[in-house]
Amino acid sequence: LEARGEAKLTFFEAYNALAFQLFSDAPIDVLVLEVGIGGEWDASNVADGDVSVFTAIGLDHRKVLGDTVEEIAQTKAGIIKENSIVVSNAQEPNVERILRDRAQQACFVSGTDFALIEASVDGFGTRFSVQGSFGSYPQLWMPIIGSHQAENAATAIVAVEQFLGRAIADEVLRSALADTVSPGRMHVISKEPLVVLDGAHNPPGIQSFRRTLEEHFGAPKAIGVVGMLADKDVFSSALEFVGVFDHLIITSSQSERSMSASQLAEVFEDSGVFVSEVI
């Protein structure tokens, strides 16, 4: 490519090409493929998906996807293929309109066509019930924390239903959910003392973190250790941490994209968040 004066493959593009070659050689029966970033021009979008799935679309990766949820939705909608099925979480009206417009040659199943009936704390997990497209699933349980994760699980259940064209066998669904993990998302790595890792990296994600911290742990006296990448919406994210922690430690990772601890602490303090320590 470089010899022809073209841009060389990125690591992600090469990784995708290798992955699809492996999938072809296996061969696999079903592939669950997550977009790298955006959708329309992502390397993963060479796949011709039978079902396209959208969780809640918010502001993220604004430097490459756009400054509004509408711009971001346009790019994400690029994964929709003709004659496919689209399953979406409940979205803002403008976002749903964009997805529906792109899905005119597809079957569209929105968050109003199925329902998360209830979600509650159950130990170090979540108990919830779902009314799907083809069946009802009462009193499900998964070892993942957060009502927002129950919403995502409901969307995943309906996506599988739509792929199969029928309800999911009860014992299959319950067994699958019981084995589900989500590393780095309200991830309890120690119970005594309680230590929780969460990778929320935008304002909507931090809002879910705050709500889940209160719902599942009663908003206990908490010590927070926070670091962020410089290419995130740092100021808006910092505002979401007001009143969350009794003691807040600001730090930085070893990533080249990381914001320095001193810079991040300055942003937090400008946002009205008291910083206890910078390391």
Side-chain angles (χ1 to χ4, degrees):
L1 289 172
E2 287 184 291
R4 295 204 301 264
E6 300 178 27
K8 64 181 181 180
L9 290 179
T10 65
F11 170 82
F12 187 74
E13 289 168 337
Y15 203 70
N16 270 266
L18 289 169
F20 285 124
Q21 181 62 50
L22 287 171
F23 301 151
S24 176
D25 287 345
I28 61 170
D29 295 316
V30 179
L31 169 63
V32 180
L33 181 66
E34 183 181 9
V35 171
I37 185 172
E40 186 163 27
W41 37 259
D42 189 81
S44 64
N45 203 29
V46 297
D48 192 13
D50 294 319
V51 182
S52 301
V53 184
F54 296 90
T55 54
I57 295 175
L59 292 174
D60 198 12
H61 303 292
R62 294 169 69 175
K63 289 186 177 180
V64 291
L65 297 183
D67 287 326
T68 67
V69 289
E70 290 81 8
E71 289 178 296
I72 294 171
Q74 287 282 5
T75 302
K76 288 180 177 282
I79 67 171
I80 297 173
K81 303 299 192 296
E82 189 173 339
N83 298 320
S84 66
I85 299 170
V86 178
V87 177
S88 171
N89 267 21
Q91 306 283 356
E92 295 181 17
N94 284 348
V95 170
E96 180 165 329
R97 176 183 53 78
I98 290 167
L99 297 181
R100 284 187 179 276
D101 286 347
R102 192 61 177 259
Q104 288 185 6
Q105 303 302 316
C107 172
F108 191 88
V109 181
S110 77
T112 58
D113 298 321
F114 58 93
L116 172 67
I117 299 170
E118 59 181 350
S120 59
V121 178
D122 190 336
F124 284 89
T126 304
R127 188 165 297 279
F128 61 104
S129 299
V130 174
Q131 175 59 57
S133 298
F134 293 92
S136 298
Y137 309 96
Q139 295 299 302
L140 301 169
W141 183 85
M142 60 182 180
I144 300 178
I145 295 172
S147 58
H148 61 294
Q149 295 286 25
E151 294 173 4
N152 291 336
T155 304
I157 288 169
V158 172
V160 173
E161 283 188 320
Q162 291 291 333
F163 178 75
L164 296 174
R166 55 177 170 80
I168 306 171
D170 187 73
E171 66 276 11
V172 171
L173 177 58
R174 292 182 189 278
S175 176
L177 287 172
D179 290 337
T180 304
V181 295
S182 185
R185 298 292 187 180
M186 293 305 292
H187 183 184
V188 178
I189 61 170
S190 171
K191 294 181 181 178
E192 292 184 6
L194 179 63
V195 179
V196 182
L197 301 180
D198 192 73
H201 53 268
N202 56 33
I206 299 170
Q207 289 168 12
S208 294
F209 163 78
R210 290 183 59 167
R211 183 172 64 251
T212 305
L213 187 67
E214 182 173 352
E215 289 175 353
H216 279 256
F217 304 110
K221 180 177 176 64
I223 299 172
V225 180
V226 178
M228 293 190 70
L229 300 179
D231 56 3
K232 299 301 179 183
D233 187 353
V234 178
F235 183 78
S236 296
S237 296
L239 291 173
E240 298 299 332
F241 282 101
V242 174
V244 174
F245 298 115
D246 298 280
H247 187 86
L248 178 61
I249 301 169
I250 298 295
T251 188
S252 61
S253 72
Q254 295 179 347
S255 169
E256 294 179 355
R257 296 162 56 200
S258 179
M259 175 173 280
S260 71
S262 59
Q263 287 179 305
L264 184 58
E266 185 175 339
V267 173
F268 267 65
E269 289 175 337
D270 288 344
S271 304
V273 181
F274 176 73
V275 175
S276 306
E277 191 175 350
V278 179
I279 59 172

